[in-house]
Amino acid sequence: MVIAKLKESLMESMKVMIIEDEIDICDLFSDYLEMRGCKKIFKVSTGKDALAKIEQEKPDIIFLDIQLADNINGLEVLRKTREISPDTKVIMMSAYKEEYGQQTQELGAYGFLKKPFRADDLSKVFDRVFKEKEGES
């Protein structure tokens, strides 16, 4: 019972950011995270808004698309996130894993979800981050 309460408390306190220019994908992510118990979910669609929110909130996890709605792409957001909030786990998302996978890893991405992905893929990466966070507390 105590362990379940601690897990629930950790899940509720985790800050998760979704940086995605496709509203439908953003909403699906948000719904999934809410079902998992996340309460602090931030959604943005541009690199500029993302960097401002990262500076302000220092999220635990970021799901970051490479193509965004402005002239700052996900790779640049990843670079700057490593400076602004080095403990944040950044999971990149793109249909072009072959093109960007190695580069994102070198820039410090925690993981990569290749679009289109299944809910199972999202669960695996989210669970991995959650277990690490659980071990830190």
Side-chain angles (χ1 to χ4, degrees), residues 47-93:
K48 180 182 177 185
D49 291 344
L51 292 170
K53 200 69 164 170
I54 292 165
E55 179 80 45
Q56 177 186 352
E57 296 294 340
K58 306 282 194 278
D60 296 294
I61 308 170
I62 295 174
F63 291 95
L64 174 57
D65 190 17
I66 290 177
Q67 301 300 320
L68 300 174
D70 63 1
N71 61 350
I72 301 174
N73 69 25
L75 298 173
E76 186 61 27
V77 173
L78 173 60
R79 274 188 206 95
K80 291 188 177 181
T81 299
R82 299 283 31 100
E83 297 168 16
I84 298 169
S85 185
D87 293 333
T88 298
K89 307 287 189 221
V90 181
I91 294 90
M92 301 300 294
M93 305 181 295

Side-chain angles (χ1 to χ4, degrees), residues 9-100:
S9 175
L10 177 62
M11 189 68 76
E12 288 177 357
S13 68
M14 283 180 57
K15 295 179 184 180
V16 183
M17 182 176 293
I18 306 159
I19 307 169
E20 168 65 66
D21 62 332
E22 294 181 50
I23 302 301
D24 293 343
I25 292 175
C26 225
D27 289 343
L28 285 172
F29 257 95
S30 184
D31 291 347
Y32 168 81
L33 293 167
E34 286 174 5
M35 284 187 342
R36 293 293 304 264
C38 292
K39 304 284 186 215
K40 298 177 181 176
I41 302 168
F42 308 99
K43 301 186 286 186
V44 295
S45 62
T46 67
K48 180 182 177 185
D49 291 344
L51 292 170
K53 200 69 164 170
I54 292 165
E55 179 80 45
Q56 177 186 352
E57 296 294 340
K58 306 282 194 278
D60 296 294
I61 308 170
I62 295 174
F63 291 95
L64 174 57
D65 190 17
I66 290 177
Q67 301 300 320
L68 300 174
D70 63 1
N71 61 350
I72 301 174
N73 69 25
L75 298 173
E76 186 61 27
V77 173
L78 173 60
R79 274 188 206 95
K80 291 188 177 181
T81 299
R82 299 283 31 100
E83 297 168 16
I84 298 169
S85 185
D87 293 333
T88 298
K89 307 287 189 221
V90 181
I91 294 90
M92 301 300 294
M93 305 181 295
S94 175
Y96 305 102
K97 184 174 184 177
E98 297 77 20
E99 186 175 335
Y100 294 111

